[in-house]
Amino acid sequence: MIRLANVDDLKFIKQYDYEVYDIEADVKNNLVYIIVEKEFIGFLRYSLFWNRIPFINMFYIRDIYRNKGYGKELLNFFIKEMQNKKFENIMTSCLSEENGKMFFLKNAFKITGGFNPFKEGYELILDYEIGGKK
């Protein structure tokens, strides 16, 4: 089941998303989706880039559930939610050396740019056109 996260989910989310200063605010503002069956599988946290483009800030599937379709299910659910909200694009980013980029590329995201944050590796910017070729 995929649903918006609530305050009861914070303990799980904080185990894997500990860099966010105020994750409680993101949950209260309906910016976090979780996927759960008998236990928590993963979650997606987003914000609005330029206040108008959904930007996936964190996409996490627990190791034991990877490569079993849960990530694709969560991403497709999120895409549908953003389509229902009349957004035209979704963006995300990841380090160029991260394996996560392959997941997004396999799911119709395209690399549209990148940059070098201070003292970090090259960060890729990826874009998904809602309603585009899947």
Side-chain angles (χ1 to χ4, degrees):
M1 172 177 64
I2 300 172
R3 62 173 170 76
L4 284 168
N6 60 53
V7 292
D8 295 331
D9 303 318
L10 286 171
K11 182 179 178 184
F12 166 74
I13 295 167
K14 286 181 179 182
Q15 288 178 30
Y16 304 99
D17 197 2
Y18 44 84
E19 294 184 14
V20 178
Y21 177 71
D22 193 3
I23 190 68
E24 292 90 351
D26 286 352
V27 167
K28 289 177 184 173
N29 289 319
N30 296 324
L31 299 173
V32 182
Y33 290 91
I34 66 165
I35 183 168
V36 62
E37 284 188 354
K38 292 180 181 176
E39 61 182 4
F40 291 103
I41 294 169
F43 64 96
L44 179 155
R45 177 175 49 79
Y46 78 103
S47 61
L48 291 178
F49 185 76
W50 291 340
N51 294 317
R52 62 186 170 110
I53 302 169
F55 188 97
I56 300 171
N57 295 313
M58 180 65 154
F59 188 92
Y60 184 80
I61 301 295
R62 292 175 56 208
D63 290 345
I64 61 172
Y65 292 106
R66 291 183 185 170
N67 300 308
K68 296 181 180 175
Y70 292 107
K72 186 172 183 67
E73 183 181 351
L74 179 58
L75 182 61
N76 286 339
F77 182 91
F78 179 72
I79 290 168
K80 190 70 169 169
E81 289 287 297
M82 297 304 103
Q83 185 176 27
N84 291 341
K85 293 181 180 193
K86 307 296 185 212
F87 289 110
E88 296 178 4
N89 292 74
I90 296 170
M91 294 175 62
T92 192
S93 72
C94 61
L95 289 171
S96 61
E97 63 267 11
E98 283 181 334
N99 291 332
K101 74 176 176 285
M102 297 310 298
F103 170 78
F104 288 106
L105 292 172
K106 286 181 195 175
N107 285 283
F109 278 74
K110 296 190 177 10
I111 297 172
T112 57
F115 63 100
N116 280 94
F118 298 107
K119 299 180 183 181
E120 294 185 27
Y122 191 71
E123 188 83 8
L124 298 171
I125 302 295
L126 296 102
D127 180 65
Y128 177 89
E129 185 178 340
I130 295 175
K133 276 189 159 181
K134 306 269 189 300

